[in-house]
Amino acid sequence: MVEKAVNAAFDEYFMRMALREAEKAAADGEVPAGCVVVEEPDDPDAIPAAARILGRAHNQTEMLSDATAHAEMLALSSAFAARGNWRLVRTRLYVTKEPCPMCAGAIVLARVGTVVWGVDDPKRGGGTVFDIFNHPGINHHPAIVRGVLESPCRDVLVSFFRSRRAGNGSAPTFNNTTED
């Protein structure tokens, strides 16, 4: 699928929102991933305030004791409810870390138009490692935009895992995002 272009400020705005979700996850002791689903704008020069947010979430696997409670899965469920339909055509999904194979499969099944992520996952990436988004056997191929706000997305993950390895029970603090 060909990416529907939007301006960089549009993508960065919603990635910052996803980063705030990731920071909530870290504060809760969850792997810091955040996700936001918005309707695709008709105008490539659209301002973020014109976009309808359909869902947003952060990882909650520990809190819910649910291996499927990834940020993408929870945000997709909210988007389905907001749309009243499981087909999310003409949407953009923003996530701080590349979706895993489970989330990539759900994104394909939901027919999300464009997937935007901050940092690649070189071990379990549903796109870069398993190539789910481009698999020839599936009937929907979302457009992919990689590397949006890559440094702050990487920083939130590195800080979280560094804190974990150090045995620090407190959640790390972040100053990578700005308010809406």
Side-chain angles (χ1 to χ4, degrees):
M1 174 176 250
V2 176
E3 172 200 350
K4 183 168 184 177
V6 298
N7 61 70
F10 188 92
D11 281 345
E12 289 174 6
Y13 178 89
F14 289 108
M15 188 59 76
R16 281 188 189 90
M17 190 177 288
L19 270 163
R20 285 192 296 279
E21 290 294 327
E23 291 166 359
K24 290 178 190 177
D28 291 342
E30 302 277 357
V31 172
C35 183
V36 178
V37 181
V38 302
E39 288 187 339
E40 188 87 56
D42 290 327
D43 178 4
D45 295 319
I47 60 170
R52 180 178 174 213
I53 298 170
L54 299 172
R56 68 175 115 182
H58 55 275
N59 275 359
Q60 296 181 41
T61 54
E62 299 297 332
M63 184 177 75
L64 299 176
S65 295
D66 181 350
T68 68
H70 290 195
E72 300 95 322
M73 301 297 280
L74 298 171
L76 285 170
S77 291
S78 293
F80 300 144
R83 272 263 177 104
N85 193 325
W86 61 270
R87 291 176 188 89
L88 297 178
V89 295
R90 300 197 29 129
T91 59
R92 288 177 89 78
L93 182 143
Y94 295 88
V95 63
T96 54
K97 183 181 73 62
E98 178 182 0
C100 73
M102 172 185 68
C103 294
I107 289 165
V108 167
L109 291 172
R111 316 262 195 304
V112 170
T114 303
V115 181
V116 182
W117 70 73
V119 63
D120 290 349
D121 183 345
K123 292 183 180 179
R124 291 173 289 280
T128 58
V129 177
F130 294 97
D131 203 24
I132 291 168
F133 297 121
N134 293 312
H135 191 282
I138 60 174
N139 63 346
H140 175 73
H141 301 273
I144 304 298
V145 179
R146 296 165 53 185
V148 174
L149 298 181
E150 184 174 5
S151 290
C153 290
R154 182 178 322 285
D155 291 347
V156 73
L157 286 162
V158 169
S159 294
F160 176 81
F161 287 111
R162 185 175 292 137
S163 177
R164 281 277 176 97
R165 282 190 299 277
N168 183 354
S170 64
T173 58
F174 306 98
N175 294 314
N176 297 321
T177 60
T178 59
E179 292 302 313
D180 288 336

